[in-house]
Amino acid sequence: MEPKEADLVIENVGQLLTMEGPGVGLEEGATVSCAGGRILEVSPSAGDAAGGKTVKLDARGGLVTPGLVDPHTHPVFAGQRSVEFGLKAAGKTYLEIHKAGGGIMSTVRATRAASTEKLERTCARNLDALLAWGVTTCEGKSGYALETEGELRLLEVLNTVGARHAVDVVPTFLGAHTLPPDVDRDEYVAQVMEEMIPRVAQRGLARYCDAYCEDGAFTPDETDRIFTAARAAGLGVRLHAEQFTDQGGAELAARHGAASADHLEAVSPAGIEALAASDTTAVLLPGAALTCRCPWPPARDLLDAGTRVALGTDLNPGSSYTSSLPLMMSLACMQMQVSCEEAWRAVTCEAARCLGLDDVGRVTPGCKADLVIFDAPDYRYVPYQ
Ligand code: NIG
Ligand code: FE
């Protein structure tokens, strides 16, 4: 094969995080060459892959990392919940508001009423905000329509906006987000399994199916049946598990070979053990723990048990209205006994892995040339500031 010529070379790099090996793959003074949107070469000093047409980018001694990967977001919704934020500030809990018909259902009402153009604009703005914090790939969930045509519409929005935005979106179907108050429980679960999942899968609108297994949402038995239907339709599964109460969701996720079990503020020792023995990644969401006044998820216990850990923003208008993945790294390092190296892995290679992606989250030949140049002298500076 002819040696390829680089069309983009990043020079004058201070620290580079390749995320190769068990740590962060730290290299100093490297040069990164790219061609056709892929990484061509990482050389220890000035590279020789440059030709006459090569664009050279001066990193000015900054930190170069893989584009961040956010493995848990809800970016397509309408409306906002600042009034509920005020109620929470005055002492009400997330579950109290949820059970009184607010919370997820207030966003469902606004989302159902919004035009597709409006949803696309909001979704694109949320992706802009993630990108501004260095995110180049995110998972994105539906879940604010809770009826068949509406859920399909939200997934279409995620696919359409993701295809034209700099941030790549991995779409997840979350028809089992909560039970709409006006429907029969069993009929709704049957609708998710027999109508929504087959149509989502048949149209290739999502890679994963998610569910909210919680007091006030879906039971472990309902989740189990929904996951069985999703897997039979060829979808991967991920779960909102143990956010407020221990439902055995971590064990259930592990049993189904789920890509991830997310939240886990209330996970039990048995749940941690089940995750550690499985290939399921624990996706921790410090923004939701902070907003909902939950205990921090037991990141240290999970890591020490050998569980794979990723970090997400959980960007949504209720439980975690933030797009700053670096802030999630800060919270993990400052409050959850996560090391800076573990935090970096959690928003790059580990997050990519739990989305089934092998060409992002690392800086190595063949990977997408999704890179961030931080104006930072050291990789610890990002969670630090
Ligand atoms: O991940 N808890 C369930 N789902 C979201 C919140 C969605 C919402 O409050 O609108 C979460 O926290
Ligand atoms: Fe969520």
Side-chain angles (χ1 to χ4, degrees):
M1 228 173 47
E2 281 286 294
K4 258 205 201 153
E5 187 173 289
D7 51 28
L8 174 71
V9 170
I10 304 171
E11 302 175 319
N12 201 8
V13 176
Q15 293 186 344
L16 168 71
L17 303 188
T18 65
M19 309 315 299
E20 288 297 332
V24 292
L26 177 64
E27 293 191 25
E28 311 254 357
T31 297
V32 183
S33 310
C34 312
R38 298 266 158 184
I39 292 164
L40 189 61
E41 187 184 10
V42 177
S43 42
S45 53
D48 56 5
K53 293 199 195 100
T54 310
V55 174
K56 293 187 176 177
L57 207 58
D58 183 357
R60 298 184 190 180
L63 166 71
V64 175
T65 75
L68 306 189
V69 180
D70 189 340
H72 185 136
T73 81
H74 306 248
V76 48
F77 60 81
Q80 51 82 28
R81 282 153 48 193
S82 55
V83 172
E84 290 182 3
F85 181 84
L87 293 176
K88 275 187 281 204
K92 280 241 181 311
T93 68
Y94 179 88
L95 274 188
E96 281 166 357
I97 295 169
H98 174 77
K99 288 182 180 174
I104 295 170
M105 275 315 296
S106 26
T107 299
V108 168
R109 287 186 287 273
T111 304
R112 283 177 177 171
S115 70
T116 302
E117 295 67 37
K118 170 109 180 122
L119 293 173
E120 286 181 354
R121 272 201 305 277
T122 309
C123 181
R125 266 210 300 274
N126 284 328
L127 299 189
D128 292 344
L130 289 165
L131 183 64
W133 286 109
V135 171
T136 52
T137 304
C138 74
E139 183 261 15
K141 303 174 198 295
S142 68
Y144 289 123
L146 309 184
E147 45 87 20
T148 306
E149 297 303 331
E151 284 294 313
L152 295 174
R153 181 169 79 124
L154 298 186
L155 288 171
E156 277 163 10
V157 169
L158 283 166
N159 281 281
T160 308
V161 176
R164 63 178 182 226
H165 200 279
V167 175
D168 296 323
V169 179
V170 177
T172 293
F173 164 65
L174 179 54
H177 200 182
T178 193
L179 271 155
D182 49 342
V183 299
D184 175 79
R185 207 174 172 101
D186 293 335
E187 274 174 29
Y188 188 75
V189 173
Q191 196 190 338
V192 169
M193 291 169 58
E194 290 157 25
E195 193 175 294
M196 297 191 202
I197 287 173
R199 288 185 61 187
V200 167
Q202 194 224 336
R203 293 188 46 200
L205 287 173
R207 271 192 236 169
Y208 293 99
C209 172
D210 194 342
Y212 188 23
C213 182
E214 184 56 78
D215 180 24
F218 294 88
T219 66
D221 174 62
E222 289 162 345
T223 306
D224 187 54
R225 283 162 35 220
I226 290 166
F227 274 14
T228 304
R231 290 170 61 202
L235 297 174
V237 293
R238 33 199 347 120
L239 185 64
H240 282 71
E242 272 78 273
Q243 184 180 12
F244 298 104
T245 58
D246 177 21
Q247 302 276 327
E251 292 92 322
L252 189 147
R255 209 164 53 241
H256 275 279
S260 66
D262 305 39
H263 281 290
L264 302 173
E265 287 87 335
V267 70
S268 70
I272 295 177
E273 220 173 280
L275 290 175
S278 77
D279 206 32
T280 301
T281 299
V283 172
L284 307 182
L285 309 165
L290 186 64
T291 306
C292 301
R293 287 192 292 264
C294 288
W296 299 109
R300 193 69 262 152
D301 294 345
L302 286 158
L303 285 161
D304 289 345
T307 310
R308 293 181 173 277
V309 169
L311 286 166
T313 59
D314 197 9
L315 166 58
N316 77 76
S319 69
S320 187
Y321 204 4
T322 180
S323 46
S324 177
L325 199 49
L327 176 62
M328 302 305 110
M329 298 169 76
S330 305
L331 291 170
C333 293
M334 295 186 297
Q335 300 288 324
M336 294 157 59
Q337 294 166 267
V338 170
S339 72
C340 293
E341 293 76 13
E342 288 164 337
W344 269 108
R345 293 183 64 82
V347 298
T348 54
C349 51
E350 293 296 343
R353 187 181 176 279
C354 84
L355 295 180
L357 304 173
D358 60 7
D359 64 350
V360 296
R362 290 176 301 133
V363 182
T364 197
C367 278
K368 280 191 189 166
D370 287 351
L371 299 157
V372 183
I373 304 174
F374 287 93
D375 180 14
D378 186 280
Y379 67 92
R380 283 155 285 221
Y381 198 96
V382 173
Y384 158 60
Q385 194 190 21

